[in-house]
Amino acid sequence: MQYDVIVVGGGPSGATAASRLAREGRTVALLDRDGRIKPCGGAIPPRLVRDFDIPDHQLVARINTARMISPTARKVDIAIENGYVGMVDREHFDEFLRVRAETHGAERLTGTYLRIERDAAGPSVVYREKASGQEKRISGKIVIGADGARSNVARSEVPGGDTIPYVIAYHEIIASPQSEDYDPARCDVIYDGQISPDFYGWVFPHGPQASVGMGTQVPGVDLKAATADLRRAAGLESCETIRREGAPIPLKPLDRWDNGRDVVLAGDAAGVVAPSSGEGIYYAMVGGDCAAEAAMACLASENPAKLAIARKLFMREHKTVFKVLGAMQDAYYKSDERRERFVSLCHDLDVQRLTFEAYMNKKLVRARPMAHLKIMLKNIGHLTGILRATS
């Protein structure tokens, strides 16, 4: 059998692509390594829940407050008005998406991707089957590489796919504490160079569990030691540790997502994680949907140039948000003095409202020009040092 599309990687992006293609009547193979759980805070916006029909039982928590903590331990609590931040546990959420793709008609295969080989009929994916340990081969017309940051598909098939920058993220899933300072409906985001010199740390509730972790691009940082420091500072050192996970998270979308022939990338493999926040689940699923759209256009037209549609569709809606968040990370994550000023900026009610309106709906809010002007002036004041860090 020759599949229409072979999807390599069964995370949110690959599972979404496989599900969309199968619903559209295409024959799809979904190849996943199985057993891998990506380290992830697990936050998803209401728009993802709506757009991708996520049932309530997949939400292990609904967050109504975000607490920003500065290097000097100043705390700013931001109420999330007119919405929430949903929390999922990737151990169960990713499997739910894979099962849904299979229900729609995708064939699930378990194994490790090895390479792509080609003949006159098209590309074949060679993988090592988990159950037997033997090499297997499946043929298709198009391959979607959704195999994560440092993607092997991207590295071998797409120009620039081997040069994507990334941070290393590490977290520990712990049993939720029973303490007055822990709020199961509040996310804590820690901007402190002692925890992460260039990113941030987090404590995110997951119902009966919590995710505690950090990320950094700086070589030589001891991620486990930094997370232990974070747990001590948050009073979480005595909580039971359920599991530990680490993985790279890309920092920038690739300039090209396809090879102009028969391969297109999606999700972390394409670099679609939001700068500054590190948010990836929503953008991964959108990227998977865009890759599926491009694959269908290519199959219908027999024109490989159609694979470029994936990046165009994604960037048309999200390019500006990525630019703004990238500029914010470049401006404020460079030093503790800058991080202190960033938390000060979070005191502003307009900053709070516009930030979470944009987060929940995944669009920049353009209806409040005076608020944007005030925020811009405050940004300039903090970055030039005209305003004090407590302003």
Side-chain angles (χ1 to χ4, degrees):
M1 176 180 178
Q2 184 186 47
Y3 296 93
D4 290 326
V5 182
I6 301 169
V7 181
V8 178
S13 185
T16 298
S19 191
R20 169 77 187 279
L21 288 160
R23 289 200 319 270
E24 298 286 346
R26 296 296 180 175
T27 55
V28 185
L30 176 60
L31 174 65
D32 187 60
R33 285 193 301 176
D34 190 34
R36 177 183 178 273
I37 307 170
K38 181 182 176 182
C40 176
I44 63 172
R47 181 172 173 183
L48 183 152
V49 175
R50 294 192 305 268
D51 289 358
F52 295 99
D53 194 23
I54 304 302
D56 281 346
H57 69 79
Q58 283 298 319
L59 299 183
V60 294
R62 288 175 182 257
I63 302 304
N64 56 34
T65 306
R67 171 171 286 182
M68 308 299 177
I69 304 175
S70 79
T72 59
R74 287 190 304 121
K75 299 172 182 176
V76 178
D77 284 1
I78 303 174
I80 302 170
E81 299 177 350
N82 304 315
Y84 63 92
V85 176
M87 286 290 161
V88 297
D89 187 330
R90 293 291 297 272
E91 179 181 12
H92 305 295
F93 183 69
D94 290 17
E95 179 63 10
F96 160 76
L97 295 175
R98 289 189 286 267
V99 169
R100 185 161 71 174
E102 186 176 28
T103 300
H104 289 150
E107 181 176 353
R108 287 181 64 178
L109 303 170
T110 303
T112 301
Y113 167 86
L114 298 176
R115 62 189 179 274
I116 293 176
E117 297 179 351
R118 292 178 174 85
D119 57 23
S124 293
V125 168
V126 181
Y127 68 100
R128 189 175 307 283
E129 186 180 55
K130 183 176 180 179
S132 67
Q134 297 179 345
E135 284 195 12
K136 299 280 187 174
R137 179 189 308 270
I138 47 175
S139 297
K141 299 174 184 176
I142 294 172
V143 176
I144 294 179
D147 51 334
R150 294 195 290 196
S151 157
N152 287 322
V153 175
R155 191 173 309 191
S156 61
E157 294 291 333
V158 177
D162 58 343
T163 61
I164 188 169
Y166 56 86
V167 301
I168 297 296
Y170 172 82
H171 81 157
E172 297 175 358
I173 296 294
I174 64 171
S176 291
Q178 304 297 318
S179 68
E180 292 184 0
D181 191 51
Y182 178 80
D183 183 346
R186 186 191 73 218
C187 282
D188 291 0
V189 185
I190 300 92
Y191 298 98
D192 184 347
Q194 294 300 311
I195 301 299
S196 172
D198 60 335
F199 206 54
Y200 62 81
W202 66 81
V203 179
F204 287 177
H206 284 191
Q209 302 174 353
S211 165
V212 184
M214 50 79 67
T216 182
Q217 194 180 6
V218 177
V221 173
D222 189 329
L223 282 76
K224 292 184 178 180
T227 302
D229 290 342
L230 173 54
R231 288 181 63 169
R232 277 192 294 272
L236 304 174
E237 68 272 26
S238 62
C239 295
E240 176 193 0
T241 301
I242 297 168
R243 66 178 191 262
R244 299 177 174 89
E245 297 150 0
I249 296 176
L251 287 175
K252 182 182 178 184
L254 289 173
D255 293 332
R256 183 169 178 175
W257 294 6
D258 69 281
N259 66 353
R261 184 179 182 182
D262 50 22
V263 173
V264 62
L265 304 178
D268 282 9
V272 292
V273 172
S276 180
S277 68
E279 182 190 1
I281 300 176
Y282 171 76
Y283 294 111
M285 294 178 73
V286 171
D289 203 53
C290 291
E293 187 78 24
M296 288 188 293
C298 180
L299 290 168
S301 65
E302 298 185 350
N303 180 4
K306 295 292 185 180
L307 294 176
I309 288 174
R311 191 179 190 279
K312 291 177 181 176
L313 287 173
F314 185 94
M315 287 300 180
R316 186 167 65 196
E317 185 167 0
H318 301 292
K319 180 179 180 180
T320 302
V321 171
F322 272 53
K323 279 190 173 182
V324 170
L325 292 176
M328 182 184 299
Q329 181 170 335
D330 290 342
Y332 285 110
Y333 287 18
K334 291 181 177 180
S335 68
D336 274 354
E337 191 272 336
R338 288 284 182 93
R339 283 184 275 267
E340 198 75 39
R341 292 181 177 278
F342 175 69
V343 173
S344 293
L345 191 63
C346 292
H347 276 285
D348 189 282
L349 291 178
D350 284 319
V351 170
Q352 296 178 14
R353 289 171 183 146
L354 293 176
T355 296
F356 278 99
E357 284 180 33
Y359 169 81
M360 289 186 291
N361 299 301
K362 288 293 168 275
K363 291 181 180 179
L364 294 177
V365 182
R366 305 181 187 277
R368 302 180 186 173
M370 293 309 296
H372 283 289
L373 177 60
K374 184 177 77 168
I375 292 168
M376 182 186 72
L377 293 174
K378 279 202 167 188
N379 261 306
I380 293 171
H382 279 295
L383 292 173
T384 59
I386 295 173
L387 292 177
R388 293 167 53 196
T390 54
S391 300

